[in-house]
Amino acid sequence: MRFDRIRSALCASLIASTALISAPSFAADNAYDGLWNVTIVTKTGSCEPTARYPLTVTEGRITAPGADVNGKVGREGTVRVSIGPAFANGQLSGNTGSGKWNGASGGVPCSGRWEASRQ
């Protein structure tokens, strides 16, 4: 399903995200580097009700196995990420984080929240 790929990438992005008015600073040796487990919960739309994904943050860059993810985590824990037409933002603090996401399944808009915990 096309949404599954978007969801996987979104998850990677979700890991640490928050939209900022000004761009966050991104740098090597990011305090949020490591393996994160992200849970996505759909609040509106017909997307899967919940999904869980592992994401990796390395030098502030977010990656996920088999997903085309474009996202970063700032030094302050801010995250902005996109996966195709899907977008997520939020905030990491210590070993946890949360935020919002928007995407679509079969052309029908979906949105919700995400939560992350570091392994």
Side-chain angles (χ1 to χ4, degrees):
M1 175 180 247
R2 182 177 163 210
F3 181 70
D4 290 336
R5 288 179 295 184
I6 293 173
R7 195 81 176 260
S8 294
L10 176 63
C11 203
S13 334
L14 296 178
I15 242 181
S17 64
T18 92
L20 299 177
I21 294 176
S22 62
S25 58
F26 301 104
D29 299 325
N30 188 295
Y32 298 99
D33 284 0
L35 178 64
W36 292 79
N37 284 323
V38 177
T39 300
I40 298 171
V41 178
T42 298
K43 296 293 186 180
T44 62
S46 60
C47 297
E48 295 176 45
T50 60
R52 290 179 177 77
Y53 300 94
L55 301 174
T56 302
V57 178
T58 305
E59 295 180 355
R61 295 203 175 271
I62 301 167
T63 60
D68 183 18
V69 177
N70 184 13
K72 296 180 182 179
V73 179
R75 288 183 191 163
E76 309 80 21
T78 58
V79 178
R80 298 179 71 177
V81 74
S82 63
I83 305 92
F87 178 79
N89 61 39
Q91 181 71 42
L92 295 179
S93 179
N95 292 321
T96 63
S98 63
K100 298 179 180 183
W101 67 270
N102 292 291
S105 177
V108 177
C110 296
S111 63
R113 299 213 22 96
W114 61 267
E115 294 180 1
S117 61
R118 186 175 0 210
Q119 293 302 292

